[in-house]
Amino acid sequence: MTTPSGTPAHTHHPLPSYLQADHLGPWGIYLQQVDRVTPYLGHLARWVETLKRPKRMLVVDVPIELDNGTIAHFEGYRVQHNLSRGPGKGGVRFHQDVTLSEVMALSAWMSIKNAAVNVPYGGAKGGIRVDPKKLSRGELERLTRRYTSEIGLLIGPSKDIPAPDVNTNGQIMSWMMDTYSMNTGATATGVVTGKPIDLGGSLGRVEATGRGVFTVGVEAAKRTGLAIAGAKVAVQGFGNVGGIAGKLFAEAGAKVVAVQDHTGTIFKSDGLDVPALLAHVKQHGGVGGFAGAETMANDEFWGVQCDILIPAALEGQITKDNAARITAKLVIEGANGPTTPEADDILADKGVLVLPDVIANAGGVTVSYFEWVQDFSSFFWSEDEINARLVRIMQEAFDGVWQVAQQHKVTLRTATFIVACQRILHAREMRGLYP
Ligand code: GLU
């Protein structure tokens, strides 16, 4: 088979078994998203199979001695999905449900996200299958250090740069940075982002994902005539992403009427006191037990009357079983992969505008990029400068994606994938196949 230009077309081999769609699991969802965009890729479609196979995947055994003297083994992963545009970049997740297939999908979404906001990175992700809440601080440190050492084969400031994700934070990044530095014999601040300020972290990084969610929300509201002041907002997950986004929406005059997390669902029709709720979450680890609200059954959350819904927890939350009940006009995906393709179609049919993860939550990695640049140059920027640059990148990226969506009459998710896949596959094509 040849292409019109006379070069042989890509030969299609079936995907290896471990890459095949795990039905509605995250990797299967990602493969469907790629299939949806392929018709819009023109001659670059020749390279699309690249996106269906992570470049490199490492599964590691992470043994640690527990405080009670026994030895425990945990499964760790680092997946580099695509490195065509630059080094790997993406967070590390500690969660009891982490699987290789989930990390593959998360790494692929990082490739798309990094290309969508045009930061010079490929996509990567890591994780450990562990419930970190069950570990002591010492156990958590030993786990983090051993994992970092095991994935030392892949990571490095110009190779692959981890960052925080679900259940990881500045302390864990500090241990990762220290372990890598000890193993290589030189302090390497640029090996991870999301570090504390004193260790080469960036101002604004902690708030960046939530700020990005808010920024694209404001852009979408402008274009659809939705007033933020007075808008009712429901948020799932009140951590680093949902908590900050909720705070910024509340400061802009919106009412956060419902919040759900792993500790329960709370509701207040005239708006929760967000600063008080953030203080409660900091102290108690979740929204459960917050005095200034009523509680509701977890499943009722999806039917709450609201204008803006922000899923900011885990994947696969908005499904064919609850999408029809959603009353919001705008869904802003703070989480990675919260909406299944079937739910996407239901929401599109209802006229609900979905701001997809691969652009909506890209603020975090954008400021990670700033952190990495500052570490390399050993010159640090002011918070105002960082926030201004973040907002500009998010606005420009959103504007570009909005235009592509109008031009092709597609959803913002497909439009974001079009923009991102074109950038990745163009780089792939220009670099050519080695050897
Ligand atoms: N874990 C975040 C994400 O999913 C941030 C990744 C990073 O900063 O590298 O986008």
Side-chain angles (χ1 to χ4, degrees), residues 78 88-93 106 110 113-114 121 124-125 161-166 168 193-194 205 209 334-336 357 361-369:
R78 185 74 186 170
K89 185 89 193 80
V92 170
R93 172 175 296 202
L106 292 164
M110 286 311 303
K113 188 187 303 185
N114 292 335
Y121 291 130
K125 199 86 176 197
I161 306 106
D165 196 76
V166 174
T168 56
T193 59
R205 174 62 186 86
T209 313
N336 290 309
D357 49 4
N361 71 30
V365 74
T366 300
V367 177
S368 276
Y369 166 57

Side-chain angles (χ1 to χ4, degrees), residues 94-322:
F94 290 180
H95 194 276
Q96 60 275 17
D97 299 331
V98 165
T99 60
L100 176 61
S101 142
E102 180 191 29
V103 178
M104 282 158 51
L106 292 164
S107 71
W109 285 323
M110 286 311 303
S111 298
I112 303 295
K113 188 187 303 185
N114 292 335
V117 287
N118 216 357
V119 292
Y121 291 130
K125 199 86 176 197
I128 307 182
R129 192 171 169 82
V130 62
D131 180 356
K133 294 186 180 73
K134 295 201 172 127
L135 299 183
S136 70
R137 185 181 160 87
E139 290 166 341
L140 188 63
E141 176 172 352
R142 293 196 288 282
L143 181 82
T144 303
R145 288 186 181 278
R146 182 61 189 253
Y147 168 73
T148 307
S149 237
E150 294 295 340
I151 64 163
L153 293 168
L154 295 189
I155 62 172
S158 56
K159 290 163 70 179
D160 181 0
I161 306 106
D165 196 76
V166 174
N167 291 336
T168 56
N169 55 26
Q171 175 62 78
I172 287 168
M173 294 308 113
S174 304
W175 290 328
M176 291 187 77
M177 187 277 255
D178 184 70
T179 304
Y180 180 85
S181 298
M182 289 294 152
N183 286 346
T184 55
T187 293
T189 52
V191 67
V192 290
T193 59
K195 300 179 296 295
I197 304 299
D198 290 339
L199 292 179
S202 176
L203 294 168
R205 174 62 186 86
V206 173
E207 301 80 19
T209 313
R211 191 173 295 279
V213 165
F214 175 70
T215 304
V216 294
V218 169
E219 290 301 305
K222 266 189 226 160
R223 287 170 175 78
T224 55
L226 175 73
I228 300 284
K232 291 186 171 181
V233 181
V235 188
Q236 188 197 38
F238 218 61
N240 184 43
V241 182
I244 303 290
K247 176 172 164 267
L248 293 173
F249 274 105
E251 284 170 5
K255 289 185 195 140
V256 178
V257 293
V259 177
Q260 173 171 91
D261 72 5
H262 62 285
T263 62
T265 307
I266 59 168
F267 175 79
K268 192 162 192 273
S269 57
D270 58 352
L272 293 151
D273 178 345
V274 173
L277 181 58
L278 286 167
H280 176 90
V281 170
K282 200 168 175 192
Q283 204 188 336
H284 302 280
V287 300
F290 180 61
E294 294 165 45
T295 56
M296 64 165 36
N298 283 338
D299 191 54
E300 281 177 44
F301 174 78
W302 302 106
V304 160
Q305 278 300 319
C306 63
D307 302 295
I308 300 173
L309 173 65
I310 306 176
L314 294 170
E315 303 93 62
Q317 298 299 301
I318 305 181
T319 66
K320 62 175 176 8
D321 302 324
N322 58 24

Side-chain angles (χ1 to χ4, degrees), residues 1-4 6-12 46:
M1 194 169 69
T2 55
T3 60
T7 48
H10 189 96
T11 314
H12 288 261
R46 176 171 179 249

Side-chain angles (χ1 to χ4, degrees), residues 396-409:
E396 281 175 10
F398 186 80
D399 192 53
V401 163
W402 186 270
Q403 284 178 31
V404 170
Q406 305 277 302
Q407 183 191 338
H408 293 294
K409 300 192 170 39

